[in-house]
Amino acid sequence: MKNRILTVDDDRDILKVLKANLELHGYEVDTAESWTKAQEILTTRQPDMIILDIMLPDGDGIEICRHLRKESPQIPIILLTARDKVSDKVMGLEIGADDYVVKPFETLELIARIGACLRRVCPITEDEVVIGNLKVDFKKQIVTVSGKKVELTPKEYKLLCFFINNRGEVMDRETIRKTIWKDSHIYSWSRVIDVHIQHLRQKIEKDPSNPKYLLTVPGAGYRFMD
Amino acid sequence: MKNRILTVDDDRDILKVLKANLELHGYEVDTAESWTKAQEILTTRQPDMIILDIMLPDGDGIEICRHLRKESPQIPIILLTARDKVSDKVMGLEIGADDYVVKPFETLELIARIGACLRRVCPITEDEVVIGNLKVDFKKQIVTVSGKKVELTPKEYKLLCFFINNRGEVMDRETIRKTIWKDSHIYSWSRVIDVHIQHLRQKIEKDPSNPKYLLTVPGAGYRFMD
DNA sequence: AAAGTGTGTAAAGAAAGTGTAAATTTTTAA
DNA sequence: TTAAAAATTTACACTTTCTTTACACACTTT
């Protein structure tokens, strides 16, 4: 079940590079050099994500983005732009883009952002996940340990889902902050994340001091065992 | 997903040796004895890299290189030449070659440069890298030696990743400092780097006193074998 | 051969990261 | 408005990691 990505950019070289790299990372890719071409493609099939250059020969990216949001609010959009002014960045996000990458961009960074965005937007396909004696019912939002229901606070539940969706991978504090805390500003020296991790451990781990699921990766972040 | 390399040289013996060695290292190889033949191949399929002899019967390598750069700027080029004059070397790089190897060359050196060049140009991070009995899982940040998990400290892990990403190339202490220690100021006479190298060796080498992977290049720095 | 340079290595003090409890602030719900 | 719940801050202990230092040894140069 590959995710399909539509990339819209007037620079054919960029399109070529993007297509190659995205396909290498397991995505199916449609490319369009103009907004007109993109619209044609959109009528035939819906992508799971759109990567949109803000500067196109036949339309203003900002307007296009706003339009897309109205037409297909469920498709996440990542904006590409040569401009790096903060005002643009803010505007891009305000009109509904999910992320914003400034050209020239590191391909790897873009790939990472695409992955993060897709996980964020279409996070869970299963209704429930069972890992060891831990069970999470995403529909009912019920977490059980050894069949016993566990009461989690909203933040704790979000954290747990986040880790389960990214199980196996190391999640650094900055990524956690960006995903769970989003725009609410947290000082870099804040220990909020660590404290919540402790709370979660106390609720889902048998021996919170020797966690089996929610592991510490010293100097890097945390990782959920799978 | 093998990388495809087009080698262009009028010496059939060299072509034969190169093809054999490159294929041994996991590349797919096309060969051409002339620029005309090379162009034919280029029309049918795009290689990931071109190794080009500067002396060809039917064209000047310098001109060809310039032409290739214009037509397919994304394909890296390594020039081969019998001449070892500095002026040629400078010119070769100025007209857009990515590297330059003087004949007669050590096959191993060429292989190393090809690897370095490809990594530089398409820095696609794999999820894991296996070198001998050493395995690094970048997503999980887990390092195993002969299947046994090895616990590395943050600095040690960063160092190892750095060396693996630049395997084959000599890394001098200043480059290491700039990459791993970044802005944290370290006195030029500090032995921190050496000490960490020792620690790493003790964790990943079978015989830390006779390292197999993380080699010392006296007077220059360290180099990770591949 | 002696001096000088560069690297290997062990040990110890300094620094940083993390676990954890408790206090405080903010949010939510009645 | 008030009480409970949740989120966040704070402080400190403990552990791990980093860095320095000192000296041994090998290799080069004079």
Side-chain angles (χ1 to χ4, degrees), chain B residues 153 155 181 190 192 195-196:
Chain B
T153 71
K155 274 260 156 60
W181 272 263
S190 170
V192 203
V195 173
H196 273 89

Side-chain angles (χ1 to χ4, degrees), chain B residues 192-226:
Chain B
V192 203
I193 294 175
D194 304 70
V195 173
H196 273 89
I197 296 278
Q198 309 313 322
H199 292 164
L200 237 188
R201 279 183 179 153
Q202 283 170 1
K203 294 188 181 180
I204 65 170
E205 299 277 2
K206 207 166 189 173
D207 179 3
S209 306
N210 292 68
K212 202 178 112 197
Y213 299 119
L214 199 37
L215 309 178
T216 300
V217 183
Y222 296 96
R223 185 161 66 89
F224 201 90
M225 268 296 266
D226 62 341

Side-chain angles (χ1 to χ4, degrees), chain A:
Chain A
M1 170 89 57
K2 286 185 180 177
N3 280 313
R4 176 172 292 278
I5 298 179
L6 170 62
T7 57
V8 192
D9 197 311
D10 59 328
D11 185 333
R12 288 195 182 199
D13 289 332
I14 288 187
L15 278 185
K16 213 187 282 177
V17 171
L18 274 181
K19 186 176 165 68
N21 276 291
L22 290 175
E23 286 178 344
L24 201 66
H25 281 77
Y27 299 108
E28 290 190 35
V29 182
D30 290 317
T31 56
E33 298 154 41
S34 64
W35 174 229
T36 318
K37 186 84 192 303
Q39 281 179 305
E40 275 176 41
I41 292 173
L42 281 171
T43 56
T44 60
R45 56 181 162 209
Q46 293 253 315
D48 299 302
M49 167 173 279
I50 299 173
I51 299 175
L52 180 68
D53 186 5
I54 217 166
M55 301 279 274
L56 290 174
D58 58 344
D60 177 22
I62 300 281
E63 276 313 313
I64 293 173
C65 183
R66 199 170 274 144
H67 172 260
L68 278 171
R69 257 295 170 273
K70 213 169 148 191
E71 292 297 306
S72 326
Q74 78 284 4
I75 304 179
I77 301 170
I78 292 183
L79 286 183
L80 294 182
T81 178
R83 292 175 282 176
D84 60 346
K85 292 170 194 164
V86 177
S87 59
D88 282 13
K89 195 169 282 190
V90 172
M91 196 198 297
L93 294 174
E94 267 177 3
I95 61 172
D98 292 77
D99 209 340
Y100 195 96
V101 177
V102 174
K103 285 195 210 176
F105 51 85
E106 284 292 324
T107 313
L108 279 180
E109 193 200 338
L110 181 59
I111 299 277
R113 288 193 185 225
I114 289 169
C117 196
L118 280 174
R119 270 197 299 279
R120 202 160 52 229
V121 174
C122 27
I124 294 149
T125 46
E126 309 114 304
D127 286 349
E128 64 171 39
V129 166
V130 179
I131 302 167
N133 62 350
L134 181 72
K135 192 174 90 178
V136 180
D137 186 323
F138 294 111
K139 271 195 169 167
K140 298 179 184 169
Q141 298 208 0
I142 289 176
V143 178
T144 55
V145 176
S146 306
K148 219 169 177 176
K149 189 177 171 190
V150 168
E151 299 290 347
L152 297 185
T153 71
K155 273 257 158 58
E156 286 162 4
Y157 181 73
K158 270 187 208 158
L159 253 187
L160 179 59
C161 291
F162 170 74
F163 273 106
I164 286 181
N165 285 335
N166 296 288
R167 74 195 95 141
E169 288 182 53
V170 175
M171 297 287 121
D172 64 280
R173 289 181 174 73
E174 179 54 16
T175 305
I176 298 172
R177 191 195 60 70
K178 270 201 231 149
T179 313
I180 310 292
W181 272 264
K182 289 186 178 154
D183 45 349
S184 81
H185 82 298
I186 281 177
Y187 297 107
S188 57
W189 59 82
S190 170
R191 305 291 309 282
V192 203
I193 294 175
D194 304 69
V195 173
H196 273 87
I197 296 278
Q198 308 314 322
H199 293 164
L200 239 187
R201 279 183 178 153
Q202 282 168 2
K203 294 188 181 179
I204 65 170
E205 299 277 0
K206 207 166 188 174
D207 179 3
S209 305
N210 292 69
K212 201 178 112 196
Y213 299 119
L214 200 38
L215 308 178
T216 300
V217 183
Y222 296 96
R223 183 163 64 88
F224 202 89
M225 266 293 264
D226 61 339

Side-chain angles (χ1 to χ4, degrees), chain B:
Chain B
M1 173 90 53
K2 287 183 180 178
N3 278 314
R4 176 173 291 278
I5 298 179
L6 170 62
T7 57
V8 192
D9 198 311
D10 58 329
D11 185 332
R12 288 196 185 199
D13 291 332
I14 288 187
L15 277 186
K16 213 185 283 176
V17 172
L18 272 182
K19 186 174 164 70
N21 276 292
L22 290 174
E23 285 178 346
L24 201 66
H25 281 78
Y27 299 107
E28 289 190 36
V29 183
D30 290 319
T31 56
E33 299 154 40
S34 65
W35 175 229
T36 318
K37 184 86 192 304
Q39 281 179 305
E40 274 176 42
I41 292 174
L42 281 170
T43 57
T44 59
R45 57 180 162 210
Q46 294 252 315
D48 299 302
M49 168 173 279
I50 299 173
I51 299 176
L52 180 67
D53 187 6
I54 217 165
M55 301 279 276
L56 289 173
D58 59 344
D60 177 21
I62 300 281
E63 276 313 312
I64 292 173
C65 183
R66 199 171 273 145
H67 173 260
L68 277 171
R69 255 296 170 274
K70 213 167 147 192
E71 290 299 305
S72 325
Q74 77 283 6
I75 304 179
I77 301 169
I78 293 184
L79 286 182
L80 294 182
T81 177
R83 293 175 283 177
D84 61 347
K85 292 171 194 162
V86 177
S87 60
D88 282 12
K89 194 169 285 189
V90 171
M91 197 198 296
L93 293 175
E94 266 178 2
I95 60 172
D98 293 79
D99 209 342
Y100 196 96
V101 177
V102 175
K103 285 195 209 177
F105 51 83
E106 283 292 323
T107 313
L108 277 181
E109 193 200 338
L110 180 59
I111 299 277
R113 288 193 186 225
I114 289 169
C117 196
L118 280 174
R119 273 195 297 279
R120 201 160 51 233
V121 173
C122 28
I124 289 144
T125 44
E126 308 109 302
D127 286 351
E128 63 171 42
V129 167
V130 178
I131 301 168
N133 62 351
L134 180 72
K135 191 175 93 177
V136 180
D137 185 321
F138 294 112
K139 275 195 167 171
K140 298 183 180 176
Q141 297 203 9
I142 289 177
V143 178
T144 54
V145 176
S146 306
K148 219 171 178 175
K149 188 176 170 191
V150 168
E151 299 289 348
L152 297 185
T153 71
K155 274 260 156 60
E156 286 162 3
Y157 181 74
K158 271 186 209 155
L159 254 186
L160 179 59
C161 291
F162 170 74
F163 275 106
I164 286 182
N165 285 331
N166 297 287
R167 73 195 95 132
E169 291 181 83
V170 176
M171 296 287 121
D172 64 281
R173 290 182 174 72
E174 179 54 16
T175 306
I176 297 172
R177 192 196 59 69
K178 268 199 250 172
T179 314
I180 310 292
W181 272 263
K182 289 183 179 157
D183 44 349
S184 82
H185 83 297
I186 280 178
Y187 297 108
S188 57
W189 59 82
S190 170
R191 305 291 309 284
V192 203
I193 294 175
D194 304 70
V195 173
H196 273 89
I197 296 278
Q198 309 313 322
H199 292 164
L200 237 188
R201 279 183 179 153
Q202 283 170 1
K203 294 188 181 180
I204 65 170
E205 299 277 2
K206 207 166 189 173
D207 179 3
S209 306
N210 292 68
K212 202 178 112 197
Y213 299 119
L214 199 37
L215 309 178
T216 300
V217 183
Y222 296 96
R223 185 161 66 89
F224 201 90
M225 268 296 266
D226 62 341

